[in-house]
Amino acid sequence: MINVLFFAQVRELLGESSLTLDAGEGTATADALRQTLASRNDKWARVLASDKLLVAVNQTLCHWHTPIKDGDEVAFFPPVTGG
């Protein structure tokens, strides 16, 4: 199982804070997982566009090509801005 977390505006726009997926097809990398989730519908595709999103695997900020394995926690969140 892969635990997927959504933070900040991503969580608000999706109306989901987390979900659990079976590890397998469509979850080999952080980007594959993002694409699998984005294929749910147009709203998910807009919110999970990679140019508006950061990803962390097991609480470590990572690249989109980072491998995902059974038991991992993957978090999607918008870039942090300051001011």
Side-chain angles (χ1 to χ4, degrees), residues 6-80:
F6 305 106
F7 290 98
Q9 187 178 22
V10 176
R11 177 181 57 217
E12 292 169 16
L13 292 172
L14 293 177
E16 300 268 351
S17 61
S18 67
L19 55 87
T20 303
L21 298 174
D22 288 328
E25 189 174 329
T27 62
T29 65
D31 193 52
L33 174 60
R34 182 195 63 78
Q35 290 179 35
T36 297
L37 293 171
S39 71
R40 288 181 164 202
N41 61 44
D42 288 342
K43 176 177 79 171
W44 283 70
R46 278 191 312 275
V47 174
L48 296 177
S50 63
D51 63 331
K52 302 175 191 171
L53 205 60
L54 295 175
V55 63
V57 175
N58 298 323
Q59 301 181 5
T60 301
L61 189 62
C62 64
H63 297 281
W64 289 109
H65 60 270
T66 300
I68 305 296
K69 63 185 183 319
D70 191 34
D72 281 348
E73 176 187 87
V74 180
F76 295 106
F77 52 97
V80 178

